[in-house]
Amino acid sequence: MKQNNEVRVDAASKIAGIEKYTRDLPIKNALIAGTVRSSKAHARIESISYDKNYDWSKVTILSAKEVKNNYVAIIKNDMPYLADKEVNYFGEPILLLAAENEKILLEAKKHIMIEYKELAAATTLKVSIDRNRAEDVFEEILLENGEGNKTFSTAYEIIEDIFETGFQEHVYLEPQAVVAIPDGNTIHIKGSMQCPYYVQNAMNELFKGTEIKVDVTQIMTGGAFGGKEDFPSLICGHVALLARKTGRPVILSYNREEDIRFTTKRHPSKIHAKAVVNSDGKILALDMDILLNSGAYATLSPVVLARAVLTSFGCYKIPNVRIHGRAIKTNISPCGAFRGFGGPQSLFAIEMLIEKVAQTLKIPVWEIKKANMLSLGDTLPTGQPIDYSYGLPKCVEKILESSEYEKKYKEFKKYNENESDQTNILKGIGISLAVHGCGFTGVGENRIKAIAEMELLPDGKVLVKTANTEMGQGVDTAYKIIVSEKLHLPFDDIIIEEKNTSKVPNSGPTVASRSTMIVGKLLLDNCERILDVLSLKDLEFSLQDFKEAAQQYFKTHDTLIVQEEYKHPDFISFDEKTYKGYGYPVYSWSANVAEVEIDLTSYQVEVKKFYTANDVGKAINKQQSEGQIQGGIIQGIGYAVYEALCIKDGEVQNRGFRDYIIPTIQDIPEMYVDIVEDTYFNGPYGAKALGELPFVGAAPAVASAVSFAIGKTATKIPLTPEVIATLIENSNYEY
Amino acid sequence: MNSMQCYSPNTLDEYQKIYSGIAEKNILVFSGGTDLMIGRHELSQDAIIIDISGIAELKGVEKKENKIFIGSCTTLNELLYSHKIQNDIPILIKAIKTMASEQIRNRATIGGNIGNASPAGDTITPLVVLEASIQIYSPESNEVKTIPLEALFSGPCASTLQNGEIITKIIIPLFEDKDIFCYFRKIGQRNAMTITKASLSAIAKYSDSKIEWIKLAPGSVSPVVKRMSKTEEFLQGKKLTPAVINESKEIIGKEISPITDIRSTKAFRVLITKNLLADCLSELINRH
Ligand SMILES: Cc1cc2nc3c(=O)[nH]c(=O)nc-3n(C[C@H](O)[C@H](O)[C@H](O)COP(=O)(O)OP(=O)(O)OC[C@H]3O[C@@H](n4cnc5c(N)ncnc54)[C@H](O)[C@@H]3O)c2cc1C
């Protein structure tokens, strides 16, 4: 494949401001929906009463009583669309309202009184763990290999600590927005979402046993990062229910405040990790207790936990492991999918554990990482051999060179010893190795059975039909490149079908960095089939040859539709009980170096430079790949340094961008991005997962640099100034 | 969707007439709107907006008799690019440079920053150490009075303005002496677009290795911005030895009364205010 550097096909319309997002849809006669929410973290609903003196004729009210199948179909089906007798988190939807405009909604809300009987609430992970109830464990996973933790008794040295990561808000540019449009017995749902078929599935369950049919269309989505994976199923149910009740189109769109306070977040984690090491820093055994704070309902926690467990040994060869993971219920807004999906939490723990090993043994951290890093042909604790598409060594080589890591390591040490007193600045340089399992965990893909379809049109154009959504990550452009490369068609001759469940097959959700690798490969296979039918397979042909062959074909045929269904190669198997086997069909790898400065007046961490090399198999679109990598790093820096969600008694205190702090252009380091292409035999042109990878390695590199600067292992993120002051001054400045 | 009444007077006279015509006096003075728009969801739906940004008398910078007069509706960027201010009140320029972004500074006015009365308002601490006063116009009496800026603030985001009173001018006395040290530093959560966690404005006269006098006003660490008179007194006449600096840090740490809120904790604000003072004093030493 030639190197592609294509401007995104959606760029012009977005820059011109003419792209239509959900709020821009011209919907006639629509009602506006609003949500009445719990003001308690855990309580029984005693009564709901409506002010008799208020004119209710202009407001439609919908309660749990009217919802027959009152559960959002995700994994455990434990979350209701509307709370009935009990609320489990502050902000949980209790009632839905619909009215002509927002003003009426705001006023009506003031005339609804809900009485509660408060119940004991666990609004922090600690409270939930301490009360130790089996029903608070949404999922538990144990992965053991080798001697497990037996090595610990005879070991040379045990080095351990507790590592914590915080919440993170997705901060997609476009807040949640969905509409439902009734049309006879059908309800058309449109909205900002990643996974139209997840919504379709949830709606099928919701209206099971009724005459209602639903179809779902994704409208151009202004960012998602996982925040529009599971959450839209809830609010699509809300608008669908209201549309059915009122017989009118219903729009539900959150403003930023509602979005920040009540939608899903990244799972915070608390991980107790222990390493058994010999005097050279070789890791003999690893023991990890992973706790994820799931919030009030399970949503996707079981699979987030699975990825956390399977990422916990990082990029290292560790003969003996015991990894114990639990996803724990607490009385806060449910956590959900977020770029990295459990990986960032456990990768932070393993990387910082190694930092601690280095500091304890007084060996430079890179020496320890190098000594333990996987080599081609090594086996993971799951038994999976790493014997193809392993570009990590190349990534390491690249960043050591571009960053001059080893030279700066010495220089910065000297600087901190000799000059910091004068300048009031500490310098740090850190290094991280990161891994991201590509696509769904285990044999998830075999369960999904993704189908992608292509249709050759009479004018020689092709129609590409997948359910994979554009949310700013460039998938439409990637698909056009994949098809164009194979069929020699210009982009204009490749038409991407609307992501509407009545028009496109279920090619699976747009998550897990799978769209290019899994569905892109299906498209490539579809191209082969078309070429086969047109008798062009394995031939050299021009655009004109292709068009002529198409013309010939339509002389004797009416349509040409080809379909491919995905299945893993046969050797890829996984045991969900023991967690042994192929956790993922292949892995993407990255190596990262961060340079930071800490100001000793303000305790602010500033990331000055960031070097990264990412093995993505094949960069289908070079400039877009670089963009994704830069974006992932910035989001990772936000996670590591800036982004702090403040929860008090279960209530999110942040209201918007003024108090949920993300990095701005002034906080972004110089970035040096390298791409390594160690191809994957089963990806299109060798491509594997890219979207999440750059995020995963960023925070550990920054925390490693901070550890260097302050001479202590940074055991938790975000490393806000308050946390840094606490680490440096040995006194508590945190909340 | 929401209907609000709005007026845009061009002169103070027109302002007065509009005000007299509103029976309930439920008005909202709107200048650049950059504070008001942020809280627009919480604004009373019945308030009548009077946009004063078009009132010519309230715009511009003037130098008269060793004083600078700044019209309250002068935008932050107009001040930033004003030569008079740049040369004569560098501390204000230092502060404005740390504020918001280019786009916001094009709208945000100095009168709005003061009128908002937030202890985190970044133009307030420099103006307080400069001992600025403000002119206030009352549409009820149709008179103008002048009060010290510090007297305007009655609590966090609360001022003593009432009955349609607006700030018309900020008056800053200039120093004869050109050798005045000035310091402004703000600590926020990031490098730009950030609300102050703690800040410090200082001006001082330093001679013979001693502090002749110093004026200090920290931001965001007390309900209203005020001078640190105990710390100032302590430092007056002192040589800046490490022991003196340490003691002054302790004094300022006790003189402020910060709170814990979403932006930071009380303990951290005390710590960084002390650090800011140390940073200020070490800069003072290094300058001389
Ligand atoms: C993104 C962003 C970043 C910001 N960054 C900073 C920052 O770094 N530092 C900082 O200090 N502030 C910051 N602000 C806040 C704001 O921009 C400033 O306080 C600004 O100076 C307010 O001026 P304005 O003209 O927009 O005020 P407005 O919003 O018009 O008014 C603010 C308040 O003052 C009153 N008021 C306005 N003019 C007068 C007057 N002449 N007399 C009496 N009362 C009056 C209004 O009634 C209102 O209560 C930021 C705001 C935003 C949106």
Side-chain angles (χ1 to χ4, degrees), chain A residues 330-343:
Chain A
T330 54
N331 294 107
I332 53 167
S333 259
C335 290
F338 199 147
R339 193 179 203 174
F341 210 75

Side-chain angles (χ1 to χ4, degrees), chain B residues 222-250:
Chain B
S222 46
V224 298
V225 174
K226 57 174 192 188
R227 293 264 297 276
M228 297 287 104
S229 52
K230 290 198 184 109
T231 317
E232 291 175 5
E233 264 165 47
F234 169 78
L235 284 167
Q236 191 174 351
K238 294 252 167 50
K239 269 200 161 68
L240 290 175
T241 62
V244 166
I245 293 178
N246 276 335
E247 203 176 333
S248 69
K249 282 171 71 176
E250 293 313 309

Side-chain angles (χ1 to χ4, degrees), chain A residues 280-323:
Chain A
D280 310 329
K282 193 106 185 131
I283 303 172
L284 308 173
L286 172 71
D287 181 291
M288 264 202 206
D289 251 304
I290 301 173
L291 294 171
L292 294 183
N293 180 349
S294 295
Y297 297 106
T299 70
L300 294 163
S301 290
V303 271
V304 173
L305 183 68
R307 191 177 280 275
V309 166
L310 290 167
T311 310
S312 63
F313 21 86
C315 304
Y316 307 105
K317 182 182 180 179
I318 305 174
N320 306 291
V321 305
R322 176 193 163 274
I323 314 291

Side-chain angles (χ1 to χ4, degrees), chain B residues 7-178:
Chain B
Y7 295 94
S8 311
N10 292 314
T11 62
L12 271 183
D13 226 30
E14 278 179 37
Y15 174 73
Q16 201 268 338
K17 290 208 181 81
I18 291 165
Y19 179 81
S20 312
I22 298 168
E24 291 85 26
K25 306 296 179 215
N26 51 340
I27 66 151
L28 193 61
V29 173
F30 187 104
S31 183
T34 59
D35 272 314
L36 289 174
M37 292 303 288
I38 292 286
R40 67 191 180 282
H41 300 295
E42 288 115 57
L43 290 183
S44 155
Q45 301 291 312
D46 315 316
I48 294 168
I49 293 172
I50 306 186
D51 175 3
I52 59 169
S53 64
I55 299 181
E57 296 118 291
L58 303 186
K59 291 197 82 78
V61 181
E62 218 183 349
K63 192 168 166 180
K64 260 195 317 208
E65 297 160 12
N66 234 6
K67 284 192 183 126
I68 294 263
F69 293 77
I70 302 174
S72 61
C73 287
T74 312
T75 66
L76 298 179
N77 263 349
E78 282 163 357
L79 291 172
L80 200 53
Y81 301 121
S82 149
H83 292 297
K84 292 184 193 112
I85 304 282
Q86 270 181 3
N87 297 331
D88 291 333
I89 341 178
I91 187 172
L92 191 58
I93 295 297
K94 282 190 183 185
I96 293 173
K97 276 188 179 158
T98 70
M99 291 173 72
S101 63
E102 200 70 26
Q103 295 92 324
I104 298 285
R105 288 195 303 265
N106 277 333
R107 284 203 65 86
T109 65
I110 188 165
N113 197 239
I114 298 170
N116 197 45
S118 159
D122 288 317
T123 65
I124 297 175
T125 58
L127 292 173
V128 163
V129 295
L130 290 167
E131 295 176 350
S133 45
I134 51 173
Q135 271 182 9
I136 294 170
Y137 169 76
S138 161
E140 302 227 324
S141 65
N142 199 15
E143 275 168 10
V144 172
K145 66 179 175 190
T146 303
I147 64 164
L149 172 61
E150 268 186 85
L152 180 75
F153 309 116
S154 56
C157 294
S159 78
T160 54
L161 294 178
Q162 43 189 316
N163 306 332
E165 284 180 339
I166 53 172
I167 303 163
T168 50
K169 280 193 168 53
I170 295 99
I171 306 164
I172 305 165
L174 293 175
F175 292 96
E176 303 280 339
D177 188 343
K178 289 290 161 225

